[in-house]
């Protein structure tokens, strides 16, 4: 996940704290030494305890798929081992306006699109039909219209107008809503068993 590293306009410099909290990384700020939780972006110890960073939208995909969409990307090339984390062991977590929802990736991959309401916002969590390692979370309201997204014939469409949408960028590519863009919302991966550590009042999506 990615957090905005400023609070009320004050830019904050962070470093890796080293310890785990709920099986997730913690980091610290150089100004006060406060310790922050990675999943929630909240300071859990120190002078800033209780303050929270804004969670930003981010794309989750493979490097090959990213290059297809962004061929001019430059990245740090450093030796590393193969990660032991695979999406089929994870859940997708949404934390919007005080409402937290977890969706196991196996459920998401099986149905392709999950239409939900989280924190009063109509959302759709979508797996790219062309790449099962790539998923995105969209706001599914366009002006005063709430859309129901689905995968049909290998394409992302809305059931209300039949418009075909880009499952990566959320842009309407053809149909009555061509040119419209769905807002991208923040979501992140988490081990299902750890979701309850950070969001004890949260809920698990069920088919």
């Amino acid at each position: 996940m990615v957090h905005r590293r400023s609070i009320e306009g004050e830019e904050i410099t962070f470093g890796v704290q080293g310890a785990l909290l709920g099986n997730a990384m913690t980091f610290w700020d150089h100004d006060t030494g406060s310790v922050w939780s990675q999943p929630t972006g909240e300071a859990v110890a120190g002078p800033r305890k209780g303050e929270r960073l804004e969670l930003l939208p981010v794309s989750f995909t493979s490097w090959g798929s990213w290059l297809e969409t962004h061929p001019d990307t430059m990245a740090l090339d450093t030796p590393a081992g193969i990660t032991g984390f695979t999406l089929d062991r994870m859940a997708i977590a949404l934390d919007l306006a005080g409402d937290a929802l977890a969706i196991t990736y196996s459920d998401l991959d099986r149905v392709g699109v999950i239409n939900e309401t989280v924190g009063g916002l109509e959302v759709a969590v979508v797996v790219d039909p062309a790449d099962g390692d790539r998923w995105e979370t969209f706001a599914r309201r366009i002006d005063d219209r709430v859309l129901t997204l689905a995968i049909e014939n290998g394409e992302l469409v809305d059931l209300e107008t039949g418009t075909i949408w880009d499952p990566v960028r959320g842009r309407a590519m053809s149909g009555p809503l061509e040119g419209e863009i769905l807002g991208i919302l923040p979501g992140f991966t988490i081990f299902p068993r750890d979701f309850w550590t950070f969001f004890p009042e949260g809920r698990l999506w069920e088919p």
Side-chain angles (χ1 to χ4, degrees):
M1 67 279 300
V2 176
H3 297 95
R4 188 183 303 280
R5 61 182 185 94
S6 64
I7 296 178
E8 297 180 351
E10 179 186 356
E11 186 176 293
I12 304 172
T13 300
F14 292 97
V16 176
Q17 198 266 345
L20 297 179
L21 177 63
N23 205 30
M25 186 188 82
T26 58
F27 48 102
W28 65 283
D29 68 69
H30 289 198
D31 297 332
T32 72
S34 298
V35 179
W36 301 72
S37 165
Q38 182 189 29
T40 64
E42 182 177 353
V44 295
R48 295 186 187 269
K49 184 176 180 180
E51 296 188 40
R52 191 162 181 170
L53 302 172
E54 178 187 356
L55 185 64
L56 299 175
V58 62
S59 294
F60 293 82
T61 183
S62 64
W63 176 237
S65 295
W66 176 266
L67 283 180
E68 288 179 11
T69 309
H70 309 280
D72 297 327
T73 299
M74 295 184 64
L76 177 66
D77 184 10
T78 184
I82 298 175
T83 179
F85 299 104
T86 56
L87 279 174
D88 59 1
R89 297 172 54 203
M90 308 294 285
I92 308 301
L94 306 180
D95 178 22
L96 303 172
D99 184 16
L101 173 70
I103 303 167
T104 63
Y105 198 80
S106 57
D107 280 338
L108 177 60
D109 191 42
R110 177 170 46 80
V111 301
V113 179
I114 290 176
N115 295 276
E116 259 286 357
T117 300
V118 183
L121 299 174
E122 298 89 357
V123 306
V125 187
V126 178
V127 172
D128 181 358
D131 183 352
D133 286 333
R134 181 160 57 188
W135 62 272
E136 199 63 81
T137 301
F138 297 112
R140 55 189 179 94
R141 177 182 288 272
I142 297 290
D143 297 325
D144 60 349
R145 186 198 301 259
V146 177
L147 303 176
T148 306
L149 301 182
I151 302 296
E152 293 187 351
N153 300 317
E155 294 181 309
L156 179 64
V157 302
D158 71 73
L159 302 184
E160 287 72 20
T161 73
T163 297
I164 297 176
W165 299 83
D166 182 333
V168 178
R169 296 179 175 175
R171 179 184 294 274
M173 299 185 296
S174 65
L177 299 180
E178 183 175 356
E180 296 280 2
I181 298 177
L182 301 173
I184 298 177
L185 297 172
F188 55 91
T189 53
I190 193 169
F191 287 112
R193 66 179 180 275
D194 295 325
F195 174 76
W196 308 110
T197 299
F198 299 100
F199 307 102
E201 303 300 321
R203 53 198 174 96
L204 180 67
W205 184 84
E206 296 181 357

